[in-house]
Amino acid sequence: MEIEFTLQLALILFLVALVAGFIDSIAGGGGLLTIPALMWAGLPPAAALATNKLQACGGSFFASVYFVRKGTVKLSDMKLAIGCALVGAAIGTTLVQMIDANILKTILPFLILAIGGYFLFSKKVSDGDRARVLTPTAFAFTVALGVGVYDGFFGPGTGSFFALGFVTLAGFGLAKATAHAKVLNFATNISSLLFFALGGKVVWLLGLIMLAGQALGATLGSRLVLTQGTKIIRPLVVTMSLAMSIKLLAEQYHWQLF
């Protein structure tokens, strides 16, 4: 695969990743920007997806580190959930090579739209914690494992699915749910990246340039999560859910958006 590497290309990809990292740390959906940018740079779809996982690791890692340092997330309480997310992503990455994903592609836009609707209309979405529905162990073996499988299998909206699980089943406030979702998303990103790397699909130079942009954007966005909470997370989750749904429907039905 030959790509003409220039300073201009590096700068554009860095800036795209910075914006994507900022959005991802708050609401998810940064792949709406980074995957098209990588394909515009000349990468075939498989390499674009693989390289996107590398740069996404940067954003989710630095966001996770910020939340852990601020005490919002205690890794000791998440060991089982992280392990389940890692295993789930590995299973999903294996399954996607054997199972037709068309059924999932059909229903996914409506699932993501439903998530946006929940965050828009539900009175339960706030910054305050509520009663937990699932124990941490049950949460790990259901939500963490299940969404991990989904991320390895397909991917769009993973952060939103994790956040929804933490809000509805773990009883977390929205800012706390977003922080914990980012840690699990980092676990699934690392697991998927390993499989892509073993397949030789990752374009490391472009991915590392974008990783630097993701790191900066994620750090800035993470600060807003803790200072602004529901005020910024809620509208951005709704907006990104709508954008992801439209993009997936456009791909499915071959709509011409531009």
Side-chain angles (χ1 to χ4, degrees), residues 22 25-26 62-63 66-67 69-70 216-229 232:
F22 180 84
S25 64
I26 299 171
F62 280 91
Y66 183 82
F67 291 133
R69 286 179 58 195
K70 290 296 181 180
L216 179 57
T219 301
L220 296 174
S222 300
R223 292 178 179 176
L224 284 182
V225 167
L226 298 187
T227 58
Q228 300 297 318
I232 187 171

Side-chain angles (χ1 to χ4, degrees), residues 113-162:
L113 198 58
I115 290 175
Y118 178 86
F119 281 109
L120 178 61
F121 296 112
S122 177
K123 294 180 180 179
K124 295 181 180 179
V125 176
S126 67
D127 283 328
D129 290 353
R130 295 174 310 284
R132 175 184 286 275
V133 176
L134 294 180
T135 65
T137 300
F139 186 91
F141 282 105
T142 54
V143 177
L145 181 64
V147 178
V149 171
Y150 164 75
D151 192 28
F153 188 80
F154 203 62
T158 295
S160 298
F161 284 119
F162 275 134

Side-chain angles (χ1 to χ4, degrees), residues 19-61:
V19 174
F22 180 84
I23 293 172
D24 252 337
S25 64
I26 299 171
L32 289 175
L33 300 176
T34 54
I35 293 175
L38 285 164
M39 294 184 71
W40 166 81
L43 273 65
L49 290 172
T51 307
N52 183 65
K53 279 296 181 186
L54 171 60
Q55 64 92 35
C57 283
S60 54
F61 173 75

